[in-house]
Amino acid sequence: MLWLFVAIITLTFVLPLLSVWIVVKVTALAKAHPKPAKYALITMFIILMVAGGLKIRDIYYEKSPYYFWNELMRKNPKPFNVSQEEFEAKNRGGYCWRDKKYYSKEELWHKAMKSLTGRMIYENKFYWDNKVANVDGEFLPTEDECVRERGCRVFKIPMNPDKEKFLKDNIENENDFWKGIDVLIKHNEAESFIFSSDKNYVDDDFKLKNYILIHKLNNPTYLSVYDSNNCCTVLNKSEWSLIRKNYILKYIGIDTIVFRQESKIPIDININSWGVGNFYLSVTYSKSISVPEFVAKDKSETFKDSRRVYLLNNCGDVLYRPNYWWRR
């Protein structure tokens, strides 16, 4: 709580005194040197305007409950030479303005899988940036854990019988398992994604179908696993309407530290007209299981632990939050 006490003292005493001191100095400068004072005031005004603008942007984009919605809108923006009427009409038809085409469900699946991986990478970045706080609001040194445990990354492993046998043969303990993953990466038999700017992630079109995604945070013991063969399905509006009653829309995440801030979707618009909600990504994955559970457990059971449905835009980008949770 020391930081809170310091903040109160600063706001109550230091800042007012500093403001008075600045006013006195500027007044004295204006009397002695009118012209330089004029330029000094103009410069200060510009600095304040820029700082204020940046602060407003920060509040709007990062603190707003519509932050993730706004980010999704920016991924498929309206072209400046297109009327609003045409923009909304084509959006309702499933048009992706960014890529200038209509995608089939099969094509959207590859796009959505990459975007879902990007969501995991986004979550990891909070750990790399030491932005994960405890219950007292204190930021934790999570970057050190990411480095020490070689965590906070997403692994993409194309699967075949030989590779599954290789992983099972390296299951005596967690360290051996991760060493096995490192061997696969070294021989270009697997990928490791840390940041969204990583070249291998940027260049990957996710066109493969038989692979697993392993989401590893800062704890080496547990991981989340997505099997591309049965984890994820793109649904159109009609297909989604048939199962919608089995899900509830979650605005606040309780499953992860990163997504606990309330996130909303505008309620006064037709989201289809903005290119969202024509398609959905249904995801079934195994969350927070141990390495032995992952390798030893029958996969038909393993991947039934958690079910989520994400809204997609017409380009296959996932809305990070809110999303739908299966009613148990």
Side-chain angles (χ1 to χ4, degrees):
M1 300 299 290
L2 178 61
W3 65 269
L4 182 60
F5 176 75
V6 172
I8 293 173
I9 294 297
T10 301
L11 290 173
T12 306
F13 300 103
V14 178
L15 288 182
L17 290 174
L18 182 61
S19 300
V20 171
W21 181 83
I22 291 174
V23 170
V24 171
K25 289 295 183 181
V26 170
T27 302
L29 178 63
K31 290 180 179 179
H33 307 284
K35 194 170 184 178
K38 174 184 175 182
Y39 292 122
L41 287 172
I42 292 174
T43 302
M44 289 177 61
F45 178 75
I46 293 173
I47 292 173
L48 288 173
M49 288 292 290
V50 171
L54 291 174
K55 185 62 178 177
I56 291 173
R57 185 196 65 175
D58 181 67
I59 292 173
Y60 181 75
Y61 284 112
E62 296 189 11
K63 306 301 182 184
S64 167
Y66 300 104
Y67 173 73
F68 291 122
W69 173 265
N70 293 332
E71 287 296 298
L72 190 65
M73 292 297 98
R74 292 164 68 179
K75 293 177 180 178
N76 188 33
K78 173 185 169 298
F80 72 93
N81 59 341
V82 173
S83 69
Q84 187 67 26
E85 182 179 4
E86 180 185 359
F87 177 68
E88 294 187 12
K90 280 196 169 183
N91 277 336
R92 289 191 293 271
Y95 189 69
C96 172
W97 294 94
R98 182 186 66 206
D99 302 334
K100 298 181 174 61
K101 65 173 295 183
Y102 292 95
Y103 281 111
S104 66
K105 284 172 52 179
E106 291 72 24
E107 291 173 315
L108 280 176
W109 183 86
H110 299 290
K111 297 281 187 179
M113 291 301 292
K114 181 169 185 175
S115 182
L116 181 65
T117 304
R119 185 182 189 271
M120 302 177 209
I121 295 172
Y122 175 87
E123 182 178 354
N124 292 346
K125 192 174 186 302
F126 277 71
Y127 289 82
W128 284 107
D129 293 345
N130 292 319
K131 289 185 177 180
V132 176
N134 60 19
V135 293
D136 296 323
E138 299 168 335
F139 290 108
L140 304 173
T142 47
E143 181 186 10
D144 293 340
E145 296 176 350
C146 293
V147 174
R148 183 172 60 253
E149 304 295 347
R150 291 183 56 79
C152 309
R153 63 194 69 203
V154 180
F155 300 94
K156 180 187 176 191
I157 309 174
M159 297 304 294
N160 56 51
D162 291 338
K163 201 169 294 182
E164 289 192 31
K165 182 178 183 301
F166 173 81
L167 292 176
K168 287 183 178 180
D169 290 343
N170 286 275
I171 196 57
E172 292 183 8
N173 57 59
E174 284 82 0
N175 290 331
D176 286 345
F177 177 81
W178 294 116
K179 287 178 182 177
I181 298 292
D182 288 339
V183 170
L184 293 178
I185 293 173
K186 182 179 179 180
H187 290 86
N188 296 318
E189 294 289 336
E191 297 278 0
S192 173
F193 306 131
I194 299 178
F195 302 113
S196 59
S197 58
D198 289 351
K199 188 176 187 303
N200 61 337
Y201 173 73
V202 173
D203 294 342
D204 196 330
D205 56 13
F206 280 67
K207 287 297 177 68
L208 289 177
K209 288 191 174 181
N210 186 21
Y211 60 86
I212 59 172
L213 294 172
I214 297 178
H215 186 194
K216 181 184 180 186
L217 287 173
N218 57 330
N219 187 334
T221 305
Y222 295 100
L223 48 95
S224 295
V225 183
Y226 303 72
D227 186 337
S228 68
N229 287 316
N230 52 31
C231 76
C232 309
T233 305
V234 173
L235 308 172
N236 59 33
K237 285 195 300 183
S238 298
E239 292 167 329
W240 166 239
S241 67
L242 297 176
I243 62 172
R244 169 66 181 87
K245 64 180 182 297
N246 299 323
Y247 290 82
I248 182 172
L249 187 62
K250 291 277 188 176
Y251 298 95
I252 299 176
I254 59 174
D255 57 332
T256 174
I257 296 174
V258 174
F259 296 104
R260 284 182 181 172
Q261 179 179 332
E262 183 181 31
S263 298
K264 295 182 178 180
I265 299 172
I267 60 174
D268 56 347
I269 64 171
N270 178 356
I271 63 172
N272 299 147
S273 296
W274 291 88
V276 179
N278 293 305
F279 300 96
Y280 298 78
L281 182 67
S282 175
V283 178
T284 302
Y285 70 106
S286 181
K287 183 178 185 299
S288 297
I289 62 170
S290 67
V291 170
E293 284 178 322
F294 161 60
V295 175
K297 196 175 179 183
D298 179 74
K299 289 187 178 178
S300 64
E301 296 296 327
T302 300
F303 296 101
K304 291 181 180 177
D305 290 351
S306 299
R307 297 183 186 179
R308 305 283 186 268
V309 173
Y310 297 92
L311 286 95
L312 297 176
N313 68 9
N314 293 339
C315 303
D317 299 304
V318 168
L319 176 63
Y320 287 2
R321 178 72 79 183
N323 52 17
Y324 292 91
W325 290 33
W326 182 47
R327 299 177 188 267
R328 291 185 179 273

